[in-house]
Amino acid sequence: MAKSPLGIIFAATALVFAVSPEARKAARQLAVKGAGIVLELADQVKDRTRELPSAEATIKEENDSEHHLLP
């Protein structure tokens, strides 16, 4: 019976987590750090997009500048 390498990896990981409290603790710490990084990146993206002018403001500005150029 041939199993996929990915299935074997998942089974081995599940076995390690089932047997080892240290592995569960390390995985939990890694998950918390990863979630913190993702939240920090999301905050940075939100801050950067707030600084960008809105599409409506950009279009209005372009229209205003075109009116000044016309005789």
Side-chain angles (χ1 to χ4, degrees):
M1 179 167 95
K3 293 186 177 184
S4 72
L6 192 58
I8 293 171
I9 290 170
F10 283 143
T13 303
L15 181 63
V16 168
F17 285 149
V19 174
S20 174
E22 292 87 12
R24 287 191 301 271
K25 183 178 178 181
R28 191 170 30 253
Q29 289 174 346
L30 184 63
V32 169
K33 287 182 182 181
I37 290 170
V38 168
L39 291 173
E40 180 65 30
L41 288 173
D43 287 342
Q44 288 179 7
V45 168
K46 286 179 187 176
D47 290 341
R48 297 273 166 87
T49 55
R50 279 189 203 128
E51 295 171 1
L52 295 174
S54 69
E56 292 174 1
T58 305
I59 292 170
K60 184 179 183 311
E61 190 175 300
E62 288 174 358
N63 288 338
D64 290 344
S65 65
E66 286 176 5
H67 290 297
H68 293 297
L69 295 176
L70 295 175

